[in-house]
């Protein structure tokens, strides 16, 4: 999102800050009079906003703000909101994943992919299959709970998914790639399979395709963009993720964890973006504003 916004392809919703960034952590410096009793000056806080999170000060709706315990670093706080809300929404709200189902997560070592692998494992998914570009990423995803990993550079993922699932296909696909995966994604879905498309890293235009599998296998294909969602929707999602994911993480009651790949000072923001664009990261890139 940050790269697309920087390139001029993905602006914030009308009326929101045009400064980049949608997630942050920090301390409360000012509180609106209507939420005076809920938040105190100096409290540690993190959250998801519609824009402006790269800046020194950020304004957030009180109901979207979450408390950051003292023992959790600001970097972890900043790394939590966007990817965990997105992955949770994708698996459970968009695709209704339930225990015992098989899931295919593309870009398994992406920050959203990392959250999705752990959420699927925590929910008792049977097979958690990921696609990645290297052996290093295969080992990384496996260590997080992926049961099968495919190097899409050397193997055809459709063939591998068929092999892993005894030709049945998977129940759920979380896709970020789009056009060049479209046909293989449809082929990899089981009957009544669900796929959510969260990005088009491989492009948005499919030139020719057979839509037959959608009808024949009763598939559900949907898109999702969290930033375009209403405040009411985001608050509901945040509240559920806070209870079911952030709280257990903070209390050490789950194996799920946020993974930070690298931290940069805001003065190195160009380098941070170049690193993000290199596809080398395995987890969040956090910017420190001082
Ligand atoms: N719709 C939403 O609400 C929403 C919310 C958050 C994020 N997103 C989207 O979700 C995606 C992942 O975000 P993120 O922050 O988790 O990303 P990230 O940590 O930067 O990881 C992206 C990874 O995608 C893989 N990739 C890139 N181009 C590819 C291509 N053409 N084909 C196959 N794999 C490719 C690379 O891994 P390999 O080395 O394995 O190829 C790369 O490391 C982005 O597209 C982002 O815009 C959408």
């Amino acid at each position: 999102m940050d790269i697309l916004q920087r390139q001029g392809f993905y602006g914030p919703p009308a009326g929101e800050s045009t400064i980049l960034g949608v997630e942050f952590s920090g301390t409360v410096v000012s509180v609106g009079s209507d939420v005076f009793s809920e938040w105190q000056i100096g409290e540690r806080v993190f959250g998801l906003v519609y824009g402006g999170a790269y800046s020194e000060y950020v304004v957030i709706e009180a109901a979207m703000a979450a408390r950051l315990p003292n023992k959790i670093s600001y970097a972890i706080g900043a790394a939590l909101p966007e990817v965990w809300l997105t992955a949770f929404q994708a698996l459970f709200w968009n695709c209704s994943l339930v225990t015992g189902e098989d899931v295919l997560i593309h870009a398994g070592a992406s920050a959203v992919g990392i959250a999705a692998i752990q959420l699927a494992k925590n929910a008792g998914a049977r097979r958690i299959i990921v696609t990645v570009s290297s052996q290093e990423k295969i080992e990384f995803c496996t260590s997080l709970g992926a049961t099968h990993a495919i190097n899409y550079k050397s193997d055809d993922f459709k063939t591998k998914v068929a092999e892993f699932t005894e030709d049945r296909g998977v129940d759920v696909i979380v896709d970020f790639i789009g056009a060049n995966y479209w046909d293989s994604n449809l082929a990899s879905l089981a009957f009544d399979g669900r796929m959510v498309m969260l990005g088009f890293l491989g492009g948005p235009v499919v030139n020719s395709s057979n839509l037959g599998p959608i009808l024949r296998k009763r598939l559900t294909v949907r898109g999702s963009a969290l930033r375009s969602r209403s405040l009411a929707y985001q608050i509901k999602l945040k509240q559920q993720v806070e209870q079911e994911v952030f709280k257990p993480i903070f209390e050490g009651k789950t194996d799920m964890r946020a993974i930070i790949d690298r931290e940069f000072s805001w003065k190195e923001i160009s380098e941070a973006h170049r690193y993000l664009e290199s596809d080398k990261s395995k987890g969040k890139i956090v910017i420190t504003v001082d």
Side-chain angles (χ1 to χ4, degrees):
M1 185 195 309
D2 292 2
I3 293 167
L4 291 175
Q5 186 171 337
R6 190 198 76 217
Q7 293 171 337
F9 296 123
Y10 190 13
E16 300 295 338
S17 171
T18 54
I19 295 172
L20 267 60
V22 295
E23 54 193 340
F24 72 93
S25 62
T27 53
V28 175
V29 293
S30 179
V31 183
S33 56
D34 50 341
V35 287
F36 229 70
S37 54
E38 292 170 44
W39 284 93
Q40 311 299 317
I41 307 292
E43 277 195 277
R44 300 171 91 243
V45 63
F46 69 104
L48 181 75
V49 288
Y50 287 98
Y54 278 22
S55 42
E56 198 177 356
Y57 297 98
V58 60
V59 178
I60 185 166
E61 185 75 25
M64 278 303 288
R67 286 190 170 77
L68 188 67
N70 286 335
K71 63 180 180 191
I72 308 296
S73 71
Y74 284 120
I76 292 286
L80 285 169
E82 168 76 357
V83 295
W84 286 87
L85 264 62
T86 298
F88 189 97
Q89 176 198 230
L91 289 175
F92 306 118
W93 286 20
N94 297 151
C95 292
S96 309
L97 178 73
V98 293
T99 307
E101 288 193 314
D102 295 330
V103 57
L104 170 63
I105 300 164
H106 289 303
S110 67
V112 179
I114 289 168
I117 293 169
Q118 297 181 77
L119 286 167
K121 182 183 174 197
N122 192 56
R126 183 170 51 155
R127 296 186 187 92
I128 303 170
I129 306 171
V130 297
T131 60
V132 288
S133 68
S134 67
Q135 184 59 29
E136 189 198 346
K137 288 187 175 182
I138 285 181
E139 283 159 23
F140 174 73
C141 292
T142 308
S143 75
L144 292 174
T147 58
H148 303 76
I150 303 162
N151 183 334
Y152 67 83
K153 298 226 161 158
S154 53
D155 284 310
D156 172 39
F157 81 80
K158 176 180 70 175
T159 309
K160 284 294 192 184
V161 167
E163 190 184 300
F164 295 151
T165 61
E166 287 120 30
D167 289 328
R168 180 183 168 274
V170 294
D171 302 288
V172 167
I173 297 181
V174 180
D175 182 53
F176 314 97
I177 316 302
N180 50 327
Y181 277 17
W182 174 253
D183 285 331
S184 293
N185 276 335
L186 294 189
S188 298
L189 280 165
F191 273 80
D192 296 309
R194 293 88 68 194
M195 172 164 75
V196 63
M197 308 186 77
L198 298 174
F200 295 130
L201 291 167
V205 180
V206 179
N207 288 322
S208 148
S209 181
N210 178 0
L211 300 178
I214 297 181
L215 209 87
R216 189 171 54 78
K217 295 198 281 185
R218 304 183 299 262
L219 305 180
T220 304
V221 177
R222 63 180 300 171
S224 177
L226 186 54
R227 185 152 72 160
S228 65
R229 286 291 188 175
S230 69
L231 191 57
Y233 179 99
Q234 291 198 1
I235 289 171
K236 204 170 148 214
L237 178 61
K238 173 254 181 185
Q239 284 169 345
Q240 191 173 350
V241 176
E242 196 172 16
Q243 280 309 308
E244 295 182 24
V245 182
F246 298 157
K247 207 161 168 260
I249 289 178
F250 294 160
E251 292 172 356
K253 291 185 174 157
T254 173
D255 292 338
M256 292 187 287
R257 61 200 164 96
I259 294 182
I260 294 172
D261 181 285
R262 246 174 106 172
E263 290 180 45
F264 290 87
S265 158
W266 67 278
K267 291 167 194 150
E268 305 164 311
I269 193 68
S270 304
E271 199 188 321
H273 269 232
R274 273 192 290 275
Y275 182 59
L276 181 61
E277 288 172 289
S278 75
D279 286 344
K280 288 192 184 124
S281 59
K282 301 189 294 293
K284 294 295 289 183
I285 298 166
V286 175
I287 304 301
T288 313
V289 180
D290 48 25

